[in-house]
Amino acid sequence: MQDKKFLFPENPLFRRTPDIEYEEEYNEVNKYFSESLLINLENLENNKINIKFNKSEKPFCLIYRGWMISPENYEKLYNIFAEKSYFLINTPEQYKYCHMISEWYDDFADFTPFTLYTDKISDKSIDNMLEQFGTRKAIIKDYVKSRKHEWYEACYIPDCSDKKNALKIIHTFIKRQGNNLAGGLVIREYNNLKPIGFHHKSGICIFEEYRLFFLFGRLINVINYWNKTDLKCSLSNSELEYICNIAKKVKSNFFTVDIARKTNGNFIIIELGDGQVSGLQDFSAEEFYRDFSNIINLN
């Protein structure tokens, strides 16, 4: 059985301690696995890492839990560790597949809103995409993230045929993303989702959504994405079975599927994500890593 280790981002102010956002996870992981490693992500930009490796003839399975990193930096991370026989649980190809909507959309087009994307960010290419949406509502994002907390200014288009307003929203999104814009521009059809209330900070409407973590094809946990006062799952067994069957198509060892319930009661896939950089959304770290360890030790 291959040994497993976790990798967490280091606190930038206090070396040899985990980033404060991952401190709870770091402490829980060490109850089930050998000592976790810490990495200074800033050094990764220079193809360096601040880790001293113990000599070992057997390989380790390494699971990163931390901030999102670009596919390019993930490949750097993978290759640096692979030279020392530490192999990240997902290959660079698997990471990119779940991280970028342009990679997974075609495989799941029947289960997710109609989507168009382009890496050519010009008014001409944007106009061509808007034409295909007609009068439909849409949301704007890049290949990885949206600005949903700036819903009306930089995310939601109420009518794609109103080109003047649509371009205003899109350019606001592009400007605010700045150098963080990943891959290109994505326009997705807006679906009517089942509302459950309003976000306590931004005031935007929030919906019935869930994040499902999968490890080697097995479901680890179902997380209530928004409703932190009631973290219970409202999915029926048949709904879970349906979603798990869809998830079998995902080309990854450790990944997430974000789903939402429409007003007609059906579910759609909102996003796929690499499991190493997907947040627990206030879910119990203790419960998550207990279930994670039970599954990974079967492999």
Side-chain angles (χ1 to χ4, degrees):
M1 180 182 295
Q2 192 178 38
D3 285 346
K4 295 95 177 173
K5 286 183 179 290
F6 274 78
L7 177 68
F8 287 94
E10 186 179 64
N11 189 317
L13 300 178
F14 302 100
R15 294 191 60 191
R16 300 184 182 86
T17 63
D19 189 295
I20 190 170
E21 291 294 327
Y22 291 93
E23 187 174 8
E24 183 182 3
E25 290 192 42
Y26 177 85
N27 292 333
E28 288 299 328
V29 160
N30 290 334
K31 294 179 182 179
Y32 299 99
F33 300 92
S34 58
E35 184 179 0
S36 298
L37 304 177
L38 295 171
I39 183 172
N40 184 326
L41 292 176
E42 293 181 358
N43 290 339
L44 187 59
E45 296 288 343
N46 300 316
N47 295 315
K48 297 179 181 179
I49 54 175
N50 59 323
I51 293 175
K52 294 182 178 179
F53 294 92
N54 295 323
K55 292 184 177 180
S56 176
E57 295 181 355
K58 59 182 180 181
F60 284 91
C61 171
L62 191 64
I63 304 102
Y64 170 67
R65 281 292 297 165
W67 304 110
M68 284 187 180
I69 56 179
S70 68
E72 294 76 18
N73 277 342
Y74 184 85
E75 186 170 6
K76 288 182 184 179
L77 191 68
Y78 186 92
N79 291 334
I80 290 171
F81 276 101
E83 290 178 357
K84 305 294 184 178
S85 294
Y86 286 69
F87 295 94
L88 282 161
I89 193 167
N90 289 334
T91 65
E93 293 76 19
Q94 289 172 328
Y95 181 85
K96 186 177 181 181
Y97 180 82
C98 287
H99 193 63
M100 310 283 277
I101 192 172
S102 57
E103 296 287 319
W104 62 260
Y105 173 73
D106 288 346
D107 291 338
F108 296 91
D110 292 339
F111 309 103
T112 195
F114 173 65
T115 299
L116 294 174
Y117 50 86
T118 180
D119 57 3
K120 298 176 182 178
I121 303 178
S122 66
D123 281 356
K124 182 179 180 179
S125 61
I126 293 170
D127 186 73
N128 288 337
M129 291 197 294
L130 289 172
E131 284 289 335
Q132 298 183 59
F133 278 84
T135 61
R136 284 181 282 186
K137 303 172 183 178
I139 62 168
I140 303 302
K141 65 189 297 293
D142 62 23
Y143 285 13
V144 178
K145 300 193 71 159
S146 69
R147 301 188 73 88
K148 58 189 173 187
H149 294 294
E150 300 167 19
W151 185 252
Y152 294 106
E153 296 87 7
C155 185
Y156 173 67
I157 299 176
D159 181 354
C160 286
S161 67
D162 183 352
K163 299 288 185 64
K164 183 178 179 180
N165 184 55
L167 285 171
K168 178 183 177 182
I169 294 167
I170 291 170
H171 283 299
T172 299
F173 169 80
I174 293 170
K175 181 179 179 181
R176 293 184 182 179
Q177 285 295 87
N179 293 332
N180 293 320
L181 192 142
L185 184 71
V186 178
I187 304 179
R188 309 198 76 192
E189 182 179 6
Y190 175 81
N191 281 204
N192 291 318
L193 304 179
K194 179 184 175 182
I196 60 171
F198 297 90
H199 192 267
H200 67 288
K201 288 185 178 179
S202 65
I204 65 169
C205 187
I206 57 176
F207 308 98
E208 184 182 344
E209 297 182 58
Y210 301 95
R211 171 165 290 171
L212 289 76
F213 276 86
F214 289 88
L215 179 64
F216 298 124
R218 295 172 180 265
L219 178 65
I220 308 173
N221 295 108
V222 181
I223 293 175
N224 193 324
Y225 195 91
W226 290 115
N227 197 347
K228 296 174 176 58
T229 60
D230 181 10
L231 295 175
K232 294 180 181 178
C233 169
S234 297
L235 299 173
S236 67
N237 289 336
S238 60
E239 287 172 334
L240 276 175
E241 183 179 2
Y242 173 74
I243 297 163
C244 287
N245 283 332
I246 295 174
K248 291 177 181 177
K249 298 174 60 178
V250 179
K251 301 167 186 175
S252 173
N253 294 322
F254 181 33
F255 63 92
T256 55
V257 181
D258 288 355
I259 62 171
R261 192 186 296 275
K262 297 168 63 175
T263 51
N264 65 8
N266 296 331
F267 275 98
I268 55 171
I269 292 176
I270 300 296
E271 298 283 0
L272 298 188
D274 188 276
Q276 299 171 102
V277 296
S278 297
L280 297 185
Q281 298 298 115
D282 283 354
F283 188 77
S284 166
E286 179 182 10
E287 185 175 344
F288 179 82
Y289 284 106
R290 180 196 66 204
D291 296 339
F292 185 100
S293 66
N294 289 338
I295 292 176
I296 201 168
N297 287 329
L298 295 175
N299 291 273

